[in-house]
Amino acid sequence: MIVKEAAESLKIKKLRLLHKRFSPDHPAEKEIEGELMRSIAGYKGEKSLDFHLDLLPKEETHIFHDLRLPFGSSHFQIDILILTPSFFLIIEVKHIAGTLIFDQEFHQLIRTYKDTEETFPDPISQLYRQTHLFKEWLNLYKFPILPIESLVIISNPNTKIMAIPENTNISKFVTHSANLLARFHTYQKHYQKEIITKKDIKKLSRLLLKQHNQTDQNLFKKFNISANDLTKGVACPKCTKIPMIRARKKWLCLNCGHYCNKAHIDTLKEYALLISPTLPIHDCCDFLQISSRHLAKHLLNDLNIPATKIGKYKVFHLNELN
């Protein structure tokens, strides 16, 4: 049973908007595009496991995608967590093409693809850390400690898996997604004693959902950019070109000819996600690229969202936008 489904992260949504509002000539554009492509690949890798996860016994499993749990002053993340009455399983998903070499001497992952070699952090070491922290987290909330298995799943079926040294048995920790069901059955046969009740699993499931805290990374700081680097203006909902112009009380796209009166709403949502959930009138004029404060006030008042008066001016709360 899937308790928490895989969904596009807040990071991906923000990266899409940054990519949309950056000029191809901006120095940070390639870095933003690369981060977006990697994040989407990770999400697609998780989604590709849905077929294999659906084959697992629904009565016995509680499945969580993308958990981010607090521990101490920090957080730890788990791609996929599977709870059963007799064991838990932590899965790290890698959607990477090419040849992967798991270097267990220096604990790194080496990828060769199209004659290019790259080095990544070792997923097996990541799993060790996640498993350790999850055990500590369970202990903190007085849950019984079950056997916890961990697995790196390579979701691309054409990816070749190798190891350094060659005799290292990484197959215990690494496999392709097609082997998930067989590996799960192996764990079932090995761990047959039920340690946690179904009632406690439901209690743990509720706590996991309550404790989950989606990361909201400051991408402006990450890429050393500011809001002033964004292309401002109302984006066309049909062709995404920026900006649309205001004509006869509606928005007109000069690129595709699309004509509508609600295009500013999605642009205000983009402002809330990328910059701030609160919007003063003068910033509304700037981001929508309109010169009239009266028009900006009219557009915002028409949305029936709450506003707070600060001095002579109002600040509108965009997080109430539907």
Side-chain angles (χ1 to χ4, degrees):
M1 177 177 69
I2 294 181
V3 181
K4 184 177 182 296
E5 295 185 355
E8 277 200 355
S9 65
L10 180 62
K11 179 183 177 181
I12 290 178
K13 293 174 183 177
K14 292 173 73 171
L15 283 168
R16 285 189 194 278
L17 295 181
L18 280 182
H19 187 251
K20 171 182 172 181
R21 289 189 172 271
F22 260 73
S23 164
D25 299 324
H26 194 283
E29 167 58 17
K30 290 296 181 186
E31 191 179 356
I32 292 170
E33 184 179 33
E35 186 72 18
L36 174 60
M37 293 302 104
R38 285 189 293 272
S39 298
I40 290 175
Y43 169 66
K44 286 182 176 179
E46 276 195 51
K47 285 297 291 179
S48 71
L49 281 186
D50 282 354
F51 171 78
H52 304 285
L53 291 170
D54 197 48
L55 298 175
L56 303 182
K58 293 178 177 57
E59 297 274 332
E60 300 176 32
T61 58
H62 288 65
I63 302 170
F64 300 79
H65 286 267
D66 302 315
L67 282 173
R68 183 173 182 266
L69 302 172
F71 188 77
S73 60
S74 187
H75 291 76
F76 64 99
Q77 293 183 247
I78 296 175
D79 281 354
I80 298 174
L81 173 66
I82 302 176
L83 307 180
T84 80
S86 54
F87 70 95
F88 296 159
L89 174 59
I90 294 175
I91 297 175
E92 178 78 13
V93 184
K94 296 298 179 187
H95 190 68
I96 309 177
T99 297
L100 299 183
I101 303 174
F102 287 80
D103 180 355
Q104 293 306 282
E105 184 175 357
F106 294 102
H107 299 286
Q108 58 188 351
L109 177 64
I110 303 167
R111 191 270 286 267
T112 304
Y113 183 63
K114 294 182 179 179
D115 298 322
T116 300
E117 187 174 282
E118 296 177 87
T119 302
F120 301 91
D122 178 26
I124 298 174
S125 298
Q126 289 177 327
L127 275 178
Y128 181 87
R129 176 179 175 274
Q130 290 164 4
T131 302
H132 170 76
L133 289 173
F134 187 52
K135 285 179 180 177
E136 294 293 318
W137 186 90
L138 289 170
N139 186 53
L140 182 67
Y141 290 98
K142 311 300 181 185
F143 282 98
I145 301 299
L146 278 72
I148 301 179
E149 291 288 347
S150 56
L151 197 58
V152 178
I153 288 191
I154 309 301
S155 57
N156 189 323
N158 299 314
T159 298
K160 184 178 181 180
I161 303 171
M162 301 176 65
I164 298 176
E166 290 184 7
N167 61 352
T168 302
N169 183 20
I170 64 161
S171 62
K172 180 181 178 182
F173 304 104
V174 184
T175 191
H176 282 105
S177 53
N179 297 324
L180 175 58
L181 180 61
R183 191 61 63 91
F184 185 86
H185 284 159
T186 300
Y187 300 144
Q188 273 189 316
K189 290 176 183 176
H190 188 70
Y191 304 110
Q192 295 188 9
K193 181 182 178 182
E194 291 193 4
I195 300 174
I196 187 171
T197 65
K198 290 183 179 180
K199 182 180 178 180
D200 280 340
I201 285 184
K202 288 182 179 179
K203 180 181 175 183
L204 175 55
S205 296
R206 289 193 296 269
L207 182 63
L208 287 167
L209 292 175
K210 182 180 178 181
Q211 290 282 303
H212 167 68
N213 181 14
Q214 186 171 210
T215 181
D216 188 8
Q217 188 176 15
N218 187 332
L219 296 181
F220 288 115
K221 184 176 180 180
K222 177 180 176 65
F223 297 114
N224 194 26
I225 56 176
S226 73
N228 292 326
D229 293 311
L230 300 175
T231 300
K232 297 173 183 177
V234 174
C236 176
K238 189 173 182 180
C239 72
T240 73
K241 288 293 183 181
I242 304 170
M244 300 180 83
I245 64 169
R246 190 76 178 173
R248 293 177 297 192
K249 297 185 178 181
K250 290 187 178 182
W251 299 100
L252 172 65
C253 178
L254 297 178
N255 181 65
C256 71
H258 185 62
Y259 195 54
C260 67
N261 61 354
K262 299 290 185 182
H264 60 285
I265 296 177
D266 282 341
T267 296
L268 291 173
K269 289 178 181 178
E270 291 178 14
Y271 180 95
L273 198 59
L274 284 176
I275 300 173
S276 172
T278 57
L279 178 66
I281 292 292
H282 62 276
D283 286 344
C284 180
C285 291
D286 179 52
F287 199 72
L288 298 184
Q289 291 292 281
I290 53 178
S291 57
S292 170
R293 293 173 64 90
H294 176 75
L295 173 59
K297 187 176 180 181
H298 169 74
L299 292 173
L300 290 168
N301 282 331
D302 196 48
L303 296 174
N304 293 316
I305 55 176
T308 304
K309 196 164 185 181
I310 300 178
K312 295 188 295 182
Y313 304 106
K314 283 184 177 180
V315 172
F316 290 82
H317 300 277
L318 300 179
N319 50 356
E320 298 296 323
L321 270 173
N322 296 321

